Amino acid sequence: SVDLERILYARCRTVEQMYDLIAGLDEYHAESKLCLVIVDSIWAPFRDAYPDLHSLPERQANLGKVLHWLQRLAAFSRSAQ
């Protein structure tokens, strides 16, 4: 049987929404024992927020920040098992 309470669905259309969601995953994980996070189209909000080449360094830095948060959550999840 599938425990549907452990499944979280969220759609992020902006980088700010993605930051807010990922920042809230720590708390959500602590409450529900979240064990799988699937990120579909992580690039799309960044492409929309930083459309030109002048913003490439900022886009890469912010994308790296999000990826670091996800890695940290994954490492925390593995250590809590």
Side-chain angles (χ1 to χ4, degrees):
S1 96
V2 176
D3 186 1
L4 296 177
E5 293 178 8
R6 294 178 62 190
I7 297 174
L8 170 68
Y9 171 81
R11 176 174 282 175
C12 300
R13 297 195 188 278
T14 67
V15 174
E16 291 78 20
Q17 289 174 346
M18 188 177 295
Y19 287 160
D20 291 343
L21 178 66
I22 292 173
L25 283 178
D26 285 334
E27 182 178 329
Y28 184 82
H29 170 64
E31 293 173 3
S32 68
K33 301 294 185 199
L34 182 70
C35 60
L36 176 65
V37 174
I38 299 172
V39 179
D40 182 26
S41 300
I42 194 170
W43 189 250
F46 290 94
R47 187 176 50 239
D48 293 340
Y50 306 101
D52 57 7
L53 289 177
H54 299 124
S55 58
L56 184 61
E58 185 179 1
R59 178 176 62 189
Q60 294 301 103
N62 285 317
L63 180 60
K65 184 177 180 181
V66 168
L67 293 173
H68 177 73
W69 283 345
L70 291 171
Q71 285 178 322
R72 187 178 52 83
L73 180 65
F76 177 75
S77 295
R78 280 193 301 271
S79 68
Q81 291 178 349

